[in-house]
Amino acid sequence: MTDQPRLVLVTGASRGIGRAAALHLARQGDLVIAIARSKAALEKLDDEIRAMGNEAILVPMDLKDAKGIDTLGKVIADRFGRLDGFVANAGILGTLGPLESVGPRSFEETIEINLTANWRLISVLSPSLRKSPAPRAVFVTSSVAAKPVAFWGPYQASKAGLEAMVMGWADETENMGLKINIFDPGGTRTDMRAKAKPGEDPMTLPSPDEVAAELVKLVSTDETRTGQRIAYRQLVAARS
């Protein structure tokens, strides 16, 4: 059992921070379950992982697919009997603009992917996580969850809800082996950031690879914290 690689699930694994996290995990020998909507992008990720001598399990799936999430949980339980790590990275920006002008479909989709899908994943993955000798989970948030700003209504509402839900889950499990934390990457050189702040110089921001290097530490066996909100910039500042 000890010579088996850690099994880590990453959502939003086809680009940005999620893709970089999947590559970091694979590089250190973990077996990654990579989830994203784009099959083609997942296959490119798989090519890179195979080039480094490892393999990944690709799951092309839209996180709005509730039945698909249920099936995923069952397959992991039946095939592996455990899950060692869960990196909940997937998210969408939704519509930015005055709150009263946001359409109901966009608002509901943002909540569905950023919040509800994570509740569904927690529900179906918890039994497998509890069977790991060192289960870890980390959820990617945003600074606007704690400090709301104008025009980010649906996105920041979804992330604030995510933080409250995850912190409650961490409190429920604080006396167990499962360690659950929240990670705030801050501004990162991703397509989502460019869409949100088109006038910003991307070279002033850390790369997804730099940020993911810190993110994946939160699903390692060495991680002992739980119920904490950890910001990338604070980690960097503490070292300087």
Side-chain angles (χ1 to χ4, degrees), residues 95 98-109 154:
T95 300
L99 188 60
E100 62 266 28
S101 68
V102 175
R105 181 175 297 179
S106 177
F107 187 93
E108 290 165 6
E109 182 183 41

Side-chain angles (χ1 to χ4, degrees), residues 79-115:
R79 180 174 175 182
F80 299 101
R82 77 185 204 289
L83 180 66
D84 301 300
F86 173 28
V87 179
N89 164 78
I92 63 170
L93 190 59
T95 300
L96 299 184
L99 188 60
E100 62 266 28
S101 68
V102 175
R105 181 175 297 179
S106 177
F107 187 93
E108 290 165 6
E109 182 183 41
T110 306
I111 298 296
E112 180 74 9
I113 293 175
N114 296 356
L115 176 58

Side-chain angles (χ1 to χ4, degrees), residues 39-57:
K39 181 179 179 183
L42 284 175
E43 288 173 346
K44 289 182 180 180
L45 171 68
D46 189 49
D47 289 342
E48 285 197 47
I49 290 176
R50 288 182 181 276
M52 63 178 71
N54 205 334
E55 61 180 344
I57 298 168

